[in-house]
Amino acid sequence: MNQLFSPKKKTAVSMADSGWQQQLPDSTGSSHIIELIGVNKYFGEAHVLRDISFYIRQNEFITLLGPSGCGKSTTLRILAGFEQANSGQVLFEGRDLLAIPPYERHLNTVFQRYALFPHLNVFDNIAFGLRIKKQSRQEIRTRVEQALKMVDLQGYSERWVDQLSGGQMQRVAIARAIVNQPRVLLLDEPLGALDLKMRKDMQIELKDMQRSLGITFVYVTHDQEEALTMSDTVIVMKTGEIQQIGTPTDIYNEPRNAFVADFIGESNILPGRMTRDFEVSFAGRTFTCVDPRMENEAVDVVVRPEDVQLRQPSDETVNGVVTSVVFKGVHYEMLIETETCEWLVQSTDRAAEGDHVGLYFDPDEIHIMAKSDQSPDRVRTAGDDVQEQEDDW
Amino acid sequence: MIRKWLKNGYMTLIFLFLYAPVAVLIIFSFNASKSRSVWGGFTLDWYRKLLENDEILSALRVTLIVALASALIATFVATITCIGLDAMRRRPRTVIMNISYIPIINPDLVTGISLMLLFFFIRMKTGFATLLLAHIAFNIPYAILSIAPKLRQLDRNIFEAALDLGCRPAQAIRKVILPEIRPGIVTALILTFTLSIDDFVISYFTAGSQISTLAITIYSMARKSVNPQINALSTLLFVSVLTLLLIINARSSREAGNAKKTARKTNA
């Protein structure tokens, strides 16, 4: 059952099939370094990847984002060659990647828990790949020094791995990968084990590194903020399926369904119905919006909490009572109980608990999404994420 | 005060009870008199005679060869077994692991007799080969026991990291997995070597009548006559086995120390 379609045709079919899976328009055409076509993966009975198709452009920072168990790590492991796909194709620069064993792929991986070799010191860890490829002693020395400089660890080459902090270990892991000059660097939640401050610094460093090295980064994370900060393209996944592909701005501003809206930042998601083109009814009122849709179509309406303006209650506004106010530094986060539902509002204007307020939003801040069977799940936070194939060994 | 005195006294008694026999053995191995109860002055005669006793020297040779060969082979088999087991899924791995541990709790007598019966059954003449096979057989579980935990502690991604950096699977095992589990392998070697030297019961049933290990020789000498050479030989055996055990203990406590140090570092 492996390849029923030729690669090109299959891509065309899957793109047309599912409008929300469309990828960004691509002008250059030939610059797809990696292309996945209808990849499926089962762990026993569990169908963990369902018809995954996307491409990765040369020098792109692409992020696979989703809650744990969504298949993002498995996708990365298929690219690295540690997992076999059950069906589908993966092309690397136009050639079949799945037939190539992991040790011959021009990809290198940065593992979540570093996976450094404890019996080697920092220098030998980084030199490992070059030694396997039988580079000259001189060449190895120069390139390792370069890599150490790149990750800002000059002078650490004699240290043992267990003498390093988590952040330093992660830098060594990155140096060990990039010293081999891979075409593509795969990163599996590389910042997951670091504390918040370190994570923020490393995000910026990684992005800089990707720009200056000019290699393609494929990044896996469950942290939506991390994904939005660093990526050129974000692929949102859930239960083995791609939910949306787009730039961070697109994903944030135009989520394709309630799951994406809820996973990428906080949202007010309300059931609604189109009354006619550019007019939608929800929360007991009718609003002008910017989307033309079929009349009478049931939709999900998303309004970001920061897009809601607080006004005096009037006929123009959705009216309700403030039930909770929390100061968040930059803004106040308020819950407002209305007749139909509870709204989350972030605003620099402060209202007091018990105040009667009116909620107002501009037409272009009302995002209309096709009704999906995936009603928003509770989004997992970073803390309760577990590695995906924990039970696999 | 009295409490403390009682506590120490009690401990001394226990150690006396445990080590008095060995102490007597060692003291009497230097006894000039042939008597087992009268001290006749210090001598090294019995050790000298030991070195001239062909029966004992040949037994020593057999013992050392069997110990060395069985330790090497058992450790090798256990190493590849553990690496294989580690790649298996949890359920079948646990099953196989438990099956391979059963011989450890099996009484030596049962292991010895059943091995003897097996060799008779397949018409294999008892001798050096059967002795060696028997020792390999009872050593393998102990070797697995020392190596498996080392593999379990290993970061599962290390092997993949080696592949990722260009190693073929065999190369990855040689360059990354083996160096990481080397402490376990060395412990397995020393432990199985010691167990093999130490063994009497299983050797007794599987060595046949032509060859003899030190343990068997001591046993038969002790039955025949009163001979202080036995004391000297037993002392040597005791000291060498003790040394090996001390090495094993030192190694494992050093590792525990290291593990603690690493754990503290990770927590900090």
Side-chain angles (χ1 to χ4, degrees), chain A residues 43 77 80 82 102-104 107-109 111 113 115-119 128-129 132-133 162-164 176-177 180 387 389-393, chain B residues 86 88-90 93 151-152 154-169 171-172 175-177 179-180 262 265-266:
Chain A
F43 286 132
R77 290 171 58 78
F82 306 142
Y103 46 89
E104 283 170 11
L107 307 154
N108 283 111
T109 308
F111 292 88
R113 277 168 239 169
L116 298 177
F117 306 131
H119 67 288
F128 191 89
I132 294 295
K133 288 174 199 92
D162 61 6
Q163 298 172 320
L164 301 176
R176 185 179 67 175
N180 302 291
Q387 207 193 2
Q389 299 92 23
E390 202 90 85
D391 204 35
D392 191 36
W393 79 284
Chain B
D86 201 56
M88 288 171 80
R89 290 184 163 268
R90 186 171 315 182
R93 185 184 57 214
L151 270 167
R152 198 81 53 79
L154 221 55
D155 182 343
R156 177 173 102 85
N157 285 332
I158 276 187
F159 180 72
E160 289 173 350
L163 295 185
D164 191 72
L165 294 166
C167 281
R168 287 162 180 284
Q171 222 177 356
K175 293 211 179 259
V176 174
I177 304 296
E180 292 298 334
T262 320
K265 184 153 268 157
T266 327

Side-chain angles (χ1 to χ4, degrees), chain A residues 21 36-54 64-65 67 69-79 83-90 98 220 235-242 388-389:
Chain A
Q21 266 194 15
L36 281 82
I37 302 149
V39 171
N40 280 281
K41 175 73 188 170
Y42 297 84
F43 286 132
E45 294 285 292
H47 197 171
V48 294
L49 290 182
R50 301 163 188 265
D51 260 327
I52 297 296
S53 300
F54 64 89
L64 302 175
L65 174 68
C70 73
K72 56 191 192 300
S73 284
T74 307
T75 309
L76 197 78
R77 290 171 58 78
I78 287 174
L79 290 179
E83 258 357 303
Q84 298 296 316
N86 292 95
S87 68
Q89 253 197 320
V90 180
L98 297 181
V220 162
I235 299 178
V236 184
M237 294 179 71
K238 184 199 168 209
T239 56
E241 280 174 315
I242 292 178
E388 266 164 44
Q389 299 92 23

